[in-house]
Amino acid sequence: MNPVIEFGRQHLETVLLLDALVGGSGFYGKPTKRQLADCFAFGEEYLIENSPLYTDPRLIEIRKRADSGLDTTELRRKLALDTEEDPLVMVSDLVNIAAELPAGYQRDVRLDQARSLRIVAMIATNDLGVTRHKLNYKEALFAITGVEPLLIPTDVHVNQYRLQTFQQMGVTGSDTDSLAEAARRWREEVGFLSKSEMGIAYRDASQLVLEILKKHKLLPQSAELNVDILHHAPFMGFFAYGNKEGEVYGETCMVESDTKCVFDVINTALHEVGGHYLLHALWHKYARNTGDLYGAVGAMACNQAVVNEGYANTARKLFRDDLTHIFKNMRVGGLEKMSDKELETNLYISANLEYLSMMALGYMAARYFHARDITAEQMEQEYIALGVDPHRAKSRVEHMTQSKSMLKPFCYYGPSYFPGMAVVSDLADKLPALSVINLAGDSRGPPSLSTLDALRKDFSLST
């Protein structure tokens, strides 16, 4: 068997087993209940016919209970103890398959992914009390991202970016000033959206971004998108790819709020649709063309997720030339009253507040898990000082410090958002947008963060 194809099949089974061990609801479970397995592009019939673990009664029961919000601890512990496949051995086998590939791009990508799943396996078995691996945050960050020097924001990075954001707002800020009040005043000047207006704005913005992707033939004309507005959820928004029929299909939501302006909503739509939908559709296309299941699987809390979040947080730059289409077709937000310069400046401010918010995740994770110099209460206040909405700050701290599983706090919040953003955003500053998009999914398949970072470094040296 072609070793690339073999890796894809083994990768699917590994993700399914690890997802069950961390209590996930599976590829087609409720997005709020998913843990590691995020999406599968070829549909459920393919899994039923070809995946031994997808049809394993033990995994089916765990997925069903997890999707219903029921406790799965004992089922998962039993699976970890009596499974025919030791998860740590399974991941080691995956690493070995990747290592046997001919040296080059596809080998590097798959090694990065397999090594990141090793950390997931360690956490899954630790959480269940089956193993007692000592987890070092910096070592884990390297294993998940595959990039050195480690992409951890420092005090200098955070403070410099805070001051730059103040300047973009046209106000004077000091090292000790909070962005919270400045951000609130800016949003007030732009105009807060009511909860009903916010829902209209997110539906409009999401569909307009979808139109942009189709215009550039990055999605087929048949691609569908369902947009929903939630009253409550432990996150600001989400994107879920694919359906049980294996179609090019996306679902996105945003939690209703009356503390946002229209630019915040547009940036979220660009992130969820312009970033996540784009990447999954490109990987789906590669998988259809090659039969490589690696492109059909989307997983969180691992190297794939780092790349995914990097593109999502850079979508504003990738589609900067298409923003007029969004501005001219929004039904709410008062955009028609703004000059082109005001539109550009306000979107830039909103995007930079979000960039700083994502930077803060990596900053706080490293302080909490490695330096251990911050408490939960201090973390919440520092988030707010960096311009994070108080409700969002509280939710972040709870998920970082009080989670029953270490998976997302340790493998996702800090490792995914800032490292991916730092690399892809820098590429977008140096290369044409289409070139960066092509790097996300060409004929060689999905990239890893280290393959993207190598290009970024090569380009920097050549200039």
Side-chain angles (χ1 to χ4, degrees), residues 5 10 12-13 136 146 166 169 186 220 245 257 262 268 282 289 292 364 378 394-395 414 425 448:
I5 299 298
Q10 184 70 10
L12 168 63
E13 298 302 297
N136 177 289
F166 273 124
M169 292 176 169
W186 167 73
E245 289 68 45
S257 166
V262 66
T268 300
L282 291 175
N289 290 341
D292 180 5
M364 298 300 179
Q378 291 169 334
K394 183 177 180 63
S395 176
S425 181
S448 70

Side-chain angles (χ1 to χ4, degrees), residues 205-386:
S206 297
Q207 292 295 342
L208 291 167
V209 176
L210 180 70
E211 290 176 10
I212 290 168
L213 295 178
K214 289 182 178 181
K215 182 189 78 172
H216 290 296
K217 299 182 179 179
L218 297 167
L219 291 183
Q221 291 300 313
S222 60
E224 296 181 14
L225 176 68
N226 179 59
V227 184
D228 199 9
I229 306 301
L230 302 182
H231 297 298
H232 302 286
F235 46 77
M236 186 171 68
F238 75 72
F239 178 81
Y241 182 78
N243 54 22
K244 289 186 176 182
E245 289 68 45
E247 299 169 324
V248 180
Y249 173 83
E251 291 184 2
T252 186
C253 87
M254 194 170 182
V255 178
E256 67 178 12
S257 166
D258 56 7
T259 63
K260 300 183 186 301
C261 70
V262 66
F263 296 99
D264 298 320
V265 177
I266 291 172
N267 267 304
T268 300
L270 284 164
H271 176 109
E272 304 294 355
V273 183
H276 291 315
Y277 204 167
L278 167 70
L279 230 65
H280 285 302
L282 291 175
W283 294 357
H284 189 171
K285 181 180 179 181
Y286 160 79
R288 284 198 310 269
N289 290 341
T290 63
D292 180 5
L293 292 181
Y294 184 64
V297 173
M300 295 182 281
C302 59
N303 196 275
Q304 276 191 342
V306 183
V307 174
N308 225 307
E309 295 300 345
Y311 271 86
N313 281 320
T314 309
R316 177 188 63 84
K317 292 182 179 180
L318 298 177
F319 298 104
R320 59 169 68 91
D321 294 337
D322 297 285
L323 296 178
T324 301
H325 177 67
I326 300 175
F327 294 149
K328 287 184 176 180
N329 291 282
M330 296 287 291
R331 288 179 286 168
V332 297
L335 299 178
E336 72 281 355
K337 301 175 184 177
M338 300 181 193
S339 67
D340 290 347
K341 180 64 176 177
E342 288 173 321
L343 291 169
E344 181 182 352
T345 299
N346 285 324
L347 187 72
Y348 194 71
I349 290 171
S350 177
N352 277 276
L353 284 170
E354 189 63 16
Y355 190 100
L356 185 58
S357 176
M358 293 298 102
M359 179 186 285
L361 270 174
Y363 176 67
M364 298 300 179
R367 290 186 61 185
Y368 187 76
F369 290 117
H370 179 72
R372 303 183 187 278
D373 65 352
I374 193 168
T375 65
E377 293 76 14
Q378 291 169 334
M379 190 189 302
E380 184 173 341
Q381 292 307 308
E382 290 209 30
Y383 272 134
I384 292 171
L386 292 172

Side-chain angles (χ1 to χ4, degrees), residues 7-15 94 113 117 294 297 304:
F7 179 93
R9 293 182 179 182
Q10 184 70 10
H11 176 255
L12 168 63
E13 298 302 297
T14 303
V15 168
L94 193 67
Q113 177 66 2
L117 290 176
Y294 184 64
V297 173
Q304 276 191 342

